[in-house]
Amino acid sequence: MIEIKEAYNRCEEIIAANSKSFYKAFSLLPKEKRKAVWAVYAFCRTVDDIVDEGTNPVLELEEFKRSFQQFLAGFYDRDNAMWVALADVFENFQMDEEAFHSLIKGQEMDLVISRYETLDDLMDYCYHVASCVGLMLLPILAPGKKAVLQEGAVSLGYAMQITNILRDIGQDLKIGRIYLPKEIMQKHGLTEIDLQQGDVNGAFVSVWEELAGEAERYYRHSFETIHEYPLQSRMAVKGAGLVYREILSAIRDKEYMVFREKHYVSDQSKQAILACL
Ligand SMILES: CC(C)=CCC/C(C)=C/CC/C(C)=C/COP(=O)(O)OP(=O)(O)O
C-alpha cells in the first residue's frame, strides 16, 4: 500500500517530467490545490499514454474504463499512486465525474479518427481531450464557481489543444494523424501530399494562421472571466494560458518549421511571463 504523501510525490514527478509549462504555472497554486492538479494530470497522462504508447490500446483503454468505474465505487489498487492520490482529491473536492468520462471518450476518438472534415469536428475532439481537463480542474481551482467559469474553462481547453495540434503537426503525421480540418486545408489549397513532404509553403502558413487565430480568440475569451477565479488560482490559470499561448509565437519565430522540430517556450520566457502576472 502506498502512502498518500508518496502518492502525491509520484504524481508530481509525472507532471514535472512530462509538462514543464503546466508544472511551473500550477506551482503558483497553494499546496492542496497544487497536489490535486498533479493527481488529475497523472490521470490524464495515463489515459493519453495508453492511446499513444499502449501495445493494445483498445483493450487497455477498456480495462482502464473498468478500473475508473471501480474507483468511483470505492475500489482501486492501493499500490497505484495515481488512484491513491485521486481518491484523496475526490474526497476533498466536488469533482465532476462526467468530465473524466468525457476525457476518456476523447482518447477513444483518437483510436478511430485520424482525419477531421470540419473545424466543428475538430472542436468536438478538442472539447473531449482538453476542455474536459479544464472541467476536471475547475472544482479544484474555483470551488462552487462552475456556472460562471465553465465557458471560460472550455475555451481555454480549446485554445490550448489547437496550440498543441499546431505544435505537433510533424509528430502526429509520423503516427498517421492529421488534425488540420480538411475544409480549412481545401480553402487554402493545402494538400496531404504537401504535409507529407513537410512543405512549409504559403498555403500551409495560411492554414496554420487560421487555426492560430481561432486559438487566440479562445485564449482571449477565457481570459475575460479570469477575475472570477479565487485570487489563489487566478495567476496559475492565467499563467498556464499565457505560457501555452507563447508556443504560437515560438513557432512563428522559427518560421513555422513544425515538421521536424518541436518548439518549446524557453525557461527564460516562461519565467518572464509568470513574473509579469
Ligand atoms: C481551466 C483550465 C486550467 C483549463 C485548461 C485545461 C488544460 C490544462 C488542458 C490541457 C490541454 C493540453 C493541450 C494539454 C497538453 O498536455 P501535455 O502534457 O501534452 O503538455 P505539453 O504541451 O507540455 O507536452
Side-chain angles (χ1 to χ4, degrees):
M1 200 172 113
I2 185 162
E3 293 289 331
I4 185 78
K5 193 169 181 303
E6 185 50 37
Y8 278 118
N9 286 344
R10 181 70 202 107
C11 295
E12 179 178 12
E13 282 165 16
I14 294 172
I15 186 170
N18 287 282
S19 180
K20 294 205 172 55
S21 306
F22 291 134
Y23 182 55
K24 235 189 178 103
F26 290 116
S27 69
L28 299 169
L29 290 170
K31 190 83 194 253
E32 284 312 302
K33 290 185 190 295
R34 202 186 327 156
K35 282 169 28 187
V37 170
W38 299 339
V40 170
Y41 185 89
F43 178 94
C44 298
R45 186 79 270 151
T46 304
V47 190
D48 201 54
D49 285 349
I50 290 174
V51 172
D52 289 344
E53 291 161 22
T55 40
N56 189 339
V58 177
L59 217 73
E60 287 174 43
L61 205 55
E62 278 308 313
E63 176 69 36
F64 186 82
K65 272 183 355 189
R66 269 195 298 277
S67 301
F68 183 52
Q69 286 296 358
Q70 294 276 314
F71 166 82
L72 292 175
F75 305 101
Y76 55 90
D77 178 0
R78 260 75 177 169
D79 291 323
N80 181 309
M82 177 199 71
W83 293 126
V84 172
L86 207 60
D88 194 55
V89 174
F90 271 67
E91 249 175 57
N92 294 327
F93 300 93
Q94 294 251 306
M95 299 305 281
D96 176 353
E97 287 179 19
E98 192 49 43
F100 283 72
H101 289 299
S102 285
L103 177 97
I104 298 174
K105 188 184 163 217
Q107 296 295 348
E108 282 177 327
M109 289 169 82
D110 250 344
L111 291 176
V112 287
I113 307 173
S114 64
R115 300 290 185 277
Y116 291 82
E117 289 295 327
T118 67
L119 181 61
D120 279 354
D121 293 342
L122 181 68
M123 297 323 288
D124 180 50
Y125 167 73
C126 293
Y127 174 83
H128 285 88
V129 293
S131 299
C132 283
V133 181
L135 300 178
M136 289 156 83
L137 295 178
L138 214 44
I140 301 166
L141 301 170
K145 300 279 276 186
K146 185 172 175 182
V148 276
L149 283 171
Q150 176 156 358
E151 195 182 313
V154 168
S155 287
L156 189 53
Y158 282 152
M160 287 177 165
Q161 190 59 35
I162 297 174
T163 305
N164 186 282
I165 285 169
L166 291 175
R167 182 194 65 189
D168 294 345
I169 292 173
Q171 185 183 309
D172 290 330
L173 267 169
K174 281 197 198 105
I175 50 170
R177 294 186 193 145
I178 297 177
Y179 293 99
L180 308 177
K182 282 187 186 168
E183 65 171 5
I184 298 183
M185 287 175 57
Q186 269 157 16
K187 181 171 133 190
H188 296 286
L190 181 70
T191 65
E192 260 202 52
I193 297 168
D194 293 333
L195 288 178
Q196 304 293 358
Q197 289 175 343
D199 201 357
V200 182
N201 55 20
F204 176 76
V205 173
S206 301
V207 169
W208 194 98
E209 281 296 352
E210 179 160 344
L211 285 167
E214 289 292 327
E216 304 273 15
R217 206 166 54 78
Y218 283 118
Y219 281 117
R220 277 198 299 277
H221 188 56
S222 72
F223 294 153
E224 280 166 17
T225 43
I226 209 84
H227 60 279
E228 296 284 354
Y229 281 89
L231 256 180
Q232 296 180 315
S233 304
R234 214 172 288 173
M235 291 207 299
V237 177
K238 184 104 190 248
L242 289 175
V243 166
Y244 222 77
R245 188 175 72 174
E246 190 60 21
I247 295 173
L248 296 173
S249 308
I251 296 171
R252 289 189 185 106
D253 287 349
K254 294 284 176 289
E255 291 167 340
Y256 307 93
M257 304 294 278
V258 288
F259 290 104
R260 273 168 284 275
E261 289 162 75
K262 186 162 173 175
H263 299 292
Y264 298 95
V265 176
S266 68
D267 282 346
Q268 204 183 356
S269 301
K270 275 181 209 151
Q271 215 56 53
I273 291 166
L274 299 178
C276 286
L277 287 168

